[in-house]
Amino acid sequence: MTATTAPVAQARAAGKPRLIRWVLRLHRPALYGWAGLAVVLAVVLIALAGPLADAAAEGWRQYDACDFRGPCHYDQDAILRYKDWYNYATTALDVLPFLVAAWAGAALTGRELETGTARLAWTQSTSPARWLAVRLAVPALVVAAGTGPLFWLHHLAWAAGQGRIDTVKTWYDVFTFHANGPTTTALALAGLAAGALAGLLFRRALPALVLGVVFISGVWGLAQQLMPHLWPTVTSTASLKQGYPGSGITVEQGLVTRTGAHLPDPYCSSDASCHAVLAKATGYYSTYHPASHYWPLQLTTSALILAVTGLLVLACFLVLRRLTGPVTTAPTGKAAV
């Protein structure tokens, strides 16, 4: 190592922890708020997996034992309490990616570009690329560390009610599905990248907040549309009296003819055209994902979302390059860090 490159390497080595400390200090209120929200949700989910689920299960046991020939006494409050707090916790987990996107757009990049703090940092031996890399990496670790245990606790809370609580949500309920698995973490990371991109595009806090939420809404919608097609489906048939077979995420349903052909269900029961279609049918068919496809769908959907997140991160660096131009070495001989 030459005498010229030695100070450069030392400056870069010293700059990394300094940048990390600066990001944590600058966004300390958000860090405290995130930690507080994670702790509160964890406490609620632990309660749902334990005493709240047990009380609700006992209430349903009492209700199912009623013969309704006289007064029926059961713990309705416990049943409703579990249902309400489960919905609150599920909604909170599903909203987290949108909160992350809004914060990333408004505070992480938008406000710093709007106030000139970012450009000031770029003149203090910090390259724009490293500035952005640290601002994405540090919050990404915090987001992953917060959402990972939460979706696991939510899955425990949901599983605690299976077979015991009559009103427990199905595994394929759209809000339960995402709150129950790693798609929560993947969506939160996508929200971080989407918000950062919005801040770089608008360079103003409020518009970036709105655009970040719009971006993550698009990612959520894309994942929801593609999810049923990311894993091979199962097709089952049943007679006309039995109705549609199977239970899960439905991809396609219809009628089965005597030749085995599939027809769309007319969804009617009275007019002549309806009778003509039903006369050709011998049963119903369903193409769907059963419960055994839960984890394959979770993992493939998470992979898809993370791939989109990678594209958003790449877009962030391309937009930053357009704003700042190629990185060059400072004329003083001090390298950007």
Side-chain angles (χ1 to χ4, degrees), residues 234-309:
V234 171
T235 300
S236 299
T237 59
S239 66
L240 291 173
K241 291 182 178 180
Q242 291 174 319
Y244 285 115
S247 175
I249 298 177
T250 301
V251 177
E252 186 181 355
Q253 287 182 327
L255 301 171
V256 180
T257 67
R258 294 179 178 84
T259 62
H262 290 174
L263 298 175
D265 192 334
Y267 294 105
C268 58
S269 59
S270 58
D271 56 35
S273 60
C274 182
H275 288 304
V277 173
L278 291 174
K280 301 177 183 178
T282 59
Y284 292 102
Y285 80 93
S286 290
T287 301
Y288 67 102
H289 291 284
S292 60
H293 289 191
Y294 170 76
W295 282 111
L297 288 174
Q298 276 282 350
L299 295 176
T300 53
T301 305
S302 298
L304 171 67
I305 297 170
L306 290 176
V308 174
T309 302

Side-chain angles (χ1 to χ4, degrees), residues 25-329:
R25 182 180 302 175
L26 182 64
H27 299 286
R28 189 183 305 169
L31 179 62
Y32 290 162
W34 177 261
L37 178 60
V39 169
V40 171
L41 278 176
V43 171
V44 172
L45 291 170
I46 291 172
L48 283 168
L52 292 181
D54 292 341
E58 177 60 21
W60 277 109
R61 189 196 64 80
Q62 296 168 357
Y63 178 83
D64 292 336
C66 292
D67 59 11
F68 298 103
R69 288 180 293 183
C72 180
H73 301 287
Y74 65 98
D75 194 349
Q76 184 180 30
D77 291 339
I79 294 173
L80 295 178
R81 190 181 304 115
Y82 175 88
K83 180 180 178 181
D84 290 342
W85 282 104
Y86 178 87
N87 289 335
Y88 297 152
T90 302
T91 301
L93 273 174
D94 287 331
V95 168
L96 285 181
F98 299 91
L99 293 179
V100 172
W103 170 79
L108 188 63
T109 54
R111 185 176 62 187
E112 291 202 34
L113 290 168
E114 183 177 10
T115 60
T117 305
R119 294 191 178 276
L120 178 63
W122 300 340
T123 62
Q124 302 295 319
S125 301
T126 301
S127 71
R130 181 160 300 195
W131 171 87
L132 179 59
V134 172
R135 271 155 181 75
L136 289 175
V138 174
L141 289 174
V142 175
V143 167
T147 55
L150 288 178
F151 82 70
W152 176 71
L153 288 173
H154 188 280
H155 195 277
L156 290 180
W158 171 80
Q162 293 297 304
R164 304 169 66 205
I165 300 174
D166 291 3
T167 53
V168 70
K169 295 291 186 179
T170 60
W171 70 270
Y172 52 88
D173 174 77
V174 61
F175 301 109
T176 292
F177 178 87
H178 289 295
N180 253 358
T183 55
T184 294
T185 299
L187 284 168
L189 293 174
L192 176 66
L197 177 60
L200 290 167
L201 288 172
F202 270 104
R203 301 187 293 280
R204 292 174 57 196
L206 185 58
L209 182 153
V210 176
L211 185 62
V213 173
V214 171
F215 279 167
I216 190 57
S217 299
V219 174
W220 190 93
L222 175 67
Q224 195 61 29
Q225 289 297 317
L226 295 180
M227 178 184 65
H229 308 287
L230 298 177
W231 195 258
T233 56
V234 171
T235 300
S236 299
T237 59
S239 66
L240 291 173
K241 291 182 178 180
Q242 291 174 319
Y244 285 115
S247 175
I249 298 177
T250 301
V251 177
E252 186 181 355
Q253 287 182 327
L255 301 171
V256 180
T257 67
R258 294 179 178 84
T259 62
H262 290 174
L263 298 175
D265 192 334
Y267 294 105
C268 58
S269 59
S270 58
D271 56 35
S273 60
C274 182
H275 288 304
V277 173
L278 291 174
K280 301 177 183 178
T282 59
Y284 292 102
Y285 80 93
S286 290
T287 301
Y288 67 102
H289 291 284
S292 60
H293 289 191
Y294 170 76
W295 282 111
L297 288 174
Q298 276 282 350
L299 295 176
T300 53
T301 305
S302 298
L304 171 67
I305 297 170
L306 290 176
V308 174
T309 302
L311 294 177
L312 291 172
V313 171
L314 177 62
C316 287
F317 282 97
L318 292 177
V319 172
L320 182 66
R321 183 180 177 86
R322 189 190 67 184
L323 291 176
T324 62
V327 178
T328 56
T329 303

